[in-house]
Amino acid sequence: MELKVATRSHAGHTVVTIVGEIDLYTAPRLQAEFTRLLGQSQTMLVVLDMSAVEFCDSTGMNVLLSALKRLRERGGTLEVAAPRPAVRKILQVTGLDSVFVVHETLPEKLMTSESQG
């Protein structure tokens, strides 16, 4: 399955919308997007909209952890929004639900500003 990644930035935060499956084959696409995003902007808050992610394996989780580490090194953070049950279970089983801030839905303040960015 193809992985689609779209980013929208506004007022110091970026929403990254991910659609598809994050696995060994698609994780490099997500990693490249994080590298591009973190290299070209001073975004301090990145929120991942995972409402359309069907599956995420350990490779995908490692990409997310790497991005979180890079953001934290510069005083920022990475949050996960609207994970589907399969992804939520992976976060819980691995204990990553205590590493990432996990929102049930995309925070409304980000949805509003997203359309303005």
Side-chain angles (χ1 to χ4, degrees), residues 12 28 33 37 39 41 48 51 55 60 67 82 87 96 105 110 114:
E33 184 61 25
L37 176 66
S41 80
L48 302 178
S51 60
F55 174 79
V87 174
L96 292 176
T105 60
L110 299 179
E114 185 179 18

Side-chain angles (χ1 to χ4, degrees), residues 65-76:
L65 282 168
S66 172
L68 175 64
K69 181 181 178 205
R70 289 179 61 196
L71 274 161
R72 282 189 175 164
E73 285 171 354
R74 60 192 221 191

